[in-house]
């Protein structure tokens, strides 16, 4: 079912400052910036040099889930994303096992891939994103 890591999502208060740190100081390559008004978030993807990327997330308003995360936990790792070969089957398997899901059906993510989130209550406090190309 799992094919490896896709990306690590990092919640930040200021996307431009975070891009500067990851790109200019740490040396990651900026791949693109996207505004997702429907999800009330602005994201930047950076290459780590391998297959796994870094996704920086800045809330666009106070009612964004990322804003709520920042209020309670501060800046830092927001979620980890893993590649799966069949997202629908993975969700079915998890549901059958009693795993709490944020998304019971996949949706389309920022890069056009199918995504779905597993609730952190089922993963020891870590928001898990499933990604399928």
């Amino acid at each position: 079912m799992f094919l490896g890591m896709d990306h690590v999502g990092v919640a930040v208060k200021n996307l431009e400052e975070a891009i500067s740190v990851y790109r200019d100081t740490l040396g990651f390559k900026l791949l693109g910036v996207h505004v997702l008004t429907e999800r009330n978030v602005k994201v930047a993807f950076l290459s780590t040099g391998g297959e796994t990327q870094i996704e920086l997330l800045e809330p666009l308003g106070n009612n964004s889930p990322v804003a709520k995360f920042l209020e309670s936990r501060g800046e830092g790792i927001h979620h980890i994303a893993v590649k799966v070969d069949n997202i629908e089957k993975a969700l079915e398997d998890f549901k059958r096992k009693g795993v709490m899901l944020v998304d019971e059906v996949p949706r389309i993510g920022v890069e056009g891939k199918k995504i779905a989130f597993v609730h952190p209550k089922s993963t020891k406090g870590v928001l898990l994103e499933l990604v399928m190309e």
Side-chain angles (χ1 to χ4, degrees):
M1 172 176 20
F2 295 109
L3 302 175
M5 289 291 297
D6 188 76
H7 68 269
V8 175
V10 179
V12 299
K13 294 178 182 175
N14 183 302
L15 191 63
E16 292 307 315
E17 287 178 9
I19 289 171
S20 178
V21 169
Y22 280 83
R23 180 191 59 208
D24 304 335
T25 304
L26 300 176
F28 293 104
K29 180 181 176 188
L30 180 64
L31 300 174
V33 177
H34 308 276
V35 176
L36 305 171
T37 52
E38 71 280 1
R39 296 193 186 132
N40 212 12
V41 70
K42 187 175 180 182
V43 301
F45 281 97
L46 296 110
S47 172
T48 63
E51 291 186 30
T52 305
Q53 298 177 354
I54 302 290
E55 178 187 31
L56 303 175
L57 304 111
E58 174 191 9
L60 293 176
N62 292 336
N63 61 345
S64 164
V66 176
K68 292 174 185 166
F69 178 91
L70 287 168
E71 280 178 31
S72 65
R73 296 188 180 192
E75 292 183 301
I77 294 177
H78 178 264
H79 66 274
I80 59 170
V82 293
K83 297 176 189 177
V84 294
D85 58 359
N86 185 326
I87 196 166
E88 289 86 358
K89 183 173 180 342
L91 291 170
E92 280 178 29
D93 289 350
F94 286 155
K95 194 173 179 179
R96 190 178 67 254
K97 293 175 181 176
V99 173
M100 286 182 65
L101 302 173
V102 174
D103 301 300
E104 294 204 10
V105 295
R107 52 186 155 129
I108 302 301
V110 99
E111 297 180 302
K113 301 173 184 177
K114 286 184 179 180
I115 66 166
F117 286 91
V118 176
H119 200 284
K121 287 184 179 175
S122 289
T123 55
K124 296 295 185 185
V126 177
L127 182 63
L128 179 67
E129 181 180 1
L130 307 177
V131 179
M132 187 179 101
E133 297 198 24

